[in-house]
Amino acid sequence: MLDLHAVLDGQRLALTRLLTQIENQTEAGQHALAELFPHTGRAHLIGVTGAPGTGKSSLVNQLALGYRKTEAPKKVAILAVDPSSPFTGGAVLGDRIRMAALSGDAGVFIRSMATRGSLGGLAHATAGMVQAFDAAGYEIILIETVGAGQSEVDIARLAHTTLVVEAPGLGDDIQAIKAGILEIADILVVNKADRPGVETTERALRSMLQLAHPVAHVFRHHGQALDVQATAPESEALWLPPIQRTVAADGQGVPELLAYIAAHRVHLEASGDLARRERARLAAELDQRLQDALVEHWRAGAQAGELEQALDALLARQLSPQEAVQRLLNGRKG
Amino acid sequence: MAEQKIRVIVAKPGLDGHDRGAKVVARALRDAGMEVIYTGLRQTPEMIAEAALQEDAHAVGLSILSGAHMELAPRILELLKANGQENVKVFIGGIIPDEDVPRLLELGVAGVYGPGTPTDQIVKEMRAAVAGAQG
Ligand SMILES: Nc1nc2c(ncn2[C@@H]2O[C@H](COP(=O)(O)OP(=O)(O)O)[C@@H](O)[C@H]2O)c(=O)[nH]1
Ligand SMILES: [Mg+2]
């Protein structure tokens, strides 16, 4: 049913169908991902996160244009995630509105995605869809998420380079701090730099950054930073999140932003962080899958009513949860 | 396995006017539990077909007020087919003269809705058409 040769061959119909199977977490989708795994691990994953209205979609549009309009254009995939309504499960996904300039370019693939019900499921599905793009030969994968909750932070962790977008005029607070996502930023973007209040926003970000990265503070403000680095090699691995102003409406600041993204990639490779992150990510996936498989294995061998009986015993305070687990597991070993 | 969500492209082809009607329908479809990919104003048939392909949509809803429906609808159906998406159901809302309705349906349009059509009816018919197309 899923034609993986066609996916590897870059055929869009095959890819779009595969993305649906992965998003719906079907067995066919899981099998496909297993088959495609050897073809993954090549793309640069770039997360773009921030509060609604900061200009993420407009910025993603500009970044994609930047990757396309060079001498050696890169294939770009965009995964734009927006929230589902918690009441109806439906969603209106409007990120494409800002990306009309990319239409008609066969080297760009834009997919919108709703967060749907389960939080863990979202991060799972996103990771799978990114792998599908990677296998299909997309070299740059831009993942837009609303920086709001833990699941978005999980998605951002998937990325090699995370941009946190802020904009003036969204109230006095720095939204990224409120949402607890400043910490995950590799690059900070102050978008809407054409609007009043940019200086204030940037200044607030800079002081927050210095709190979050005390070492960066020292380095930036003392002349001997270079000497310190020379005697302490591990400090070379330190990346200080830069702040870049942009106007996503017309592309100002985007070339500089692209240069920072490229520099971050170089840093990741040179410092060994890329390999470390990849290892940690795969370790987490392996751990999760192992847990799922073990639980499933246990359930498959469980006797009817075994769990219910244990539960009854817990309710009656005849067993502690700790003892119940012991008993459920030991009953199996013999 | 998670439930199969109905995914619908809502687009406003042509250069004319506003997208108020399209937005009302988009919200109604969302409230009915569907995932609506809203593409906005001034969409060409090529852009709409491309969105349907990339989003693996089940249906496309077009808001057409310009009177160009007899050119736009066949073109979009043709492009969907060329992309291997002949299963995608196309719906048109807007100001469509009565005599054009049977012609559009004959071309393969799944439903035509004039101003004031209850959104419940659109939701119901879209669900039924999509269920039929998925077999
Ligand atoms: N003035 C100004 N408006 C912008 C800029 N970037 C985006 N916008 C506008 O801000 C609104 C929200 O943009 P969007 O990209 O959808 O933000 P998102 O919700 O973060 O994805 C839209 O009306 C954009 O046209 C900018 O740099 N300057
Ligand atoms: Mg957006």
Side-chain angles (χ1 to χ4, degrees):
Chain A
M1 180 187 77
L2 288 171
D3 184 350
L4 297 186
H5 286 293
V7 171
L8 291 170
D9 213 33
Q11 290 179 36
R12 308 178 135 216
L13 185 61
L15 174 59
T16 202
R17 287 181 175 161
L18 170 61
L19 291 171
T20 302
Q21 295 299 318
I22 298 170
E23 185 177 18
N24 291 342
Q25 303 192 30
T26 67
E27 222 158 279
Q30 290 303 307
H31 280 302
L33 281 177
E35 293 275 314
L36 292 174
F37 186 73
H39 302 277
T40 62
R42 295 173 296 186
H44 187 182
L45 278 46
I46 303 165
V48 179
T49 190
T54 48
K56 297 178 296 297
S57 299
S58 310
L59 202 60
V60 163
N61 177 59
Q62 289 290 348
L63 291 171
L65 285 174
Y67 284 116
R68 297 300 298 158
K69 289 183 176 165
T70 56
E71 277 173 26
K74 293 196 166 132
K75 280 183 78 179
V76 179
I78 296 167
L79 190 58
V81 186
D82 271 330
S84 299
S85 156
F87 305 108
T88 67
V92 175
L93 310 171
D95 297 313
R96 292 188 83 98
I97 297 171
R98 316 276 172 230
M99 304 181 190
L102 297 168
S103 73
D105 182 346
V108 178
F109 196 112
I110 307 168
R111 179 72 169 222
S112 311
M113 185 183 180
T115 52
R116 297 193 179 172
S118 86
L119 291 179
L122 173 64
H124 220 75
T126 312
M129 289 164 87
V130 163
Q131 283 188 349
F133 281 130
D134 191 351
Y138 290 87
E139 300 157 277
I140 299 288
I141 303 174
L142 295 157
I143 311 164
E144 175 185 339
T145 58
V146 176
Q150 183 57 43
S151 63
E152 275 84 2
V153 172
D154 287 345
I155 295 175
R157 283 235 176 79
L158 183 70
H160 300 122
T161 304
T162 297
L163 277 52
V164 170
V165 186
E166 200 58 53
L170 294 170
D172 290 337
D173 297 332
I174 296 295
Q175 304 290 323
I177 295 165
K178 230 162 65 178
I181 56 169
L182 195 65
E183 293 78 3
I184 61 170
D186 295 308
I187 300 168
L188 283 154
V189 182
V190 181
N191 188 42
K192 304 197 184 183
D194 55 329
R195 290 275 192 82
V198 226
E199 286 81 11
T200 319
T201 304
E202 191 177 323
R203 211 176 313 121
L205 270 180
R206 207 170 284 289
S207 58
M208 286 315 294
L209 212 58
Q210 281 161 1
L211 281 179
H213 299 260
V215 189
H217 181 72
V218 171
F219 276 13
R220 195 170 292 137
H221 290 272
H222 295 273
Q224 289 132 330
L226 275 176
D227 290 336
V228 174
Q229 276 182 339
T231 52
E234 70 270 21
S235 64
E236 276 172 43
L238 197 67
W239 170 267
L240 313 178
I243 301 178
Q244 178 62 46
R245 289 188 191 185
T246 57
V247 182
D250 67 8
Q252 268 182 69
V254 172
E256 291 84 350
L257 183 55
L258 285 164
Y260 275 133
I261 294 172
H264 186 248
R265 174 80 193 192
V266 168
H267 160 82
L268 285 178
E269 283 170 8
S271 64
D273 266 5
L274 194 65
R276 262 194 297 278
R277 279 193 196 201
E278 185 68 357
R279 195 178 176 86
R281 200 181 61 74
L282 289 173
E285 180 174 348
L286 192 60
D287 190 60
Q288 184 63 52
R289 287 189 187 279
L290 202 54
Q291 285 185 37
D292 293 350
L294 285 173
V295 169
E296 202 154 304
H297 181 73
W298 183 87
R299 279 190 209 282
Q303 281 158 32
E306 207 178 348
L307 265 181
E308 286 302 314
Q309 280 167 22
L311 204 52
D312 289 340
L314 290 183
L315 272 171
R317 296 296 187 274
Q318 291 162 350
L319 271 183
S320 70
Q322 292 86 339
E323 287 165 335
V325 167
Q326 283 288 315
R327 191 172 292 191
L328 287 168
L329 288 181
N330 290 342
R332 191 59 46 71
K333 274 196 184 134
Chain B
M1 182 188 133
E3 88 269 43
Q4 173 84 337
K5 280 271 172 204
I6 297 182
R7 289 168 65 84
V8 191
I9 306 286
V10 171
K12 173 92 184 59
L15 297 176
D16 62 297
H18 59 79
D19 59 351
R20 225 176 308 134
K23 279 185 174 158
V24 169
V25 172
R27 266 181 235 122
L29 297 177
R30 175 200 61 192
D31 292 344
M34 299 185 194
E35 289 179 356
V36 178
I37 297 102
Y38 192 70
T39 60
L41 291 163
R42 298 203 179 81
Q43 299 284 299
T44 64
E46 286 75 13
M47 291 164 91
I48 292 165
E50 184 181 53
L53 180 65
Q54 294 177 348
E55 303 290 354
D56 198 15
H58 300 97
V60 171
L62 304 169
S63 163
I64 307 181
L65 304 167
S66 62
H69 47 274
M70 293 312 295
E71 294 93 64
L72 290 168
R75 179 75 186 131
I76 289 167
L77 287 163
E78 189 182 296
L79 289 166
L80 288 171
K81 198 166 170 208
N83 285 340
Q85 285 196 303
E86 48 278 326
N87 278 353
V88 172
K89 296 290 160 192
V90 175
F91 297 82
I92 298 179
I95 301 158
I96 313 290
D98 285 347
E99 64 268 27
D100 286 347
V101 175
R103 291 167 63 201
L104 286 168
L105 297 176
E106 213 165 285
L107 282 169
V109 171
V112 181
Y113 306 103
T117 308
T119 51
D120 287 0
Q121 184 192 338
I122 302 177
V123 166
K124 214 172 100 196
E125 294 186 13
M126 204 175 259
R127 275 209 187 111
V130 167
Q134 304 300 305

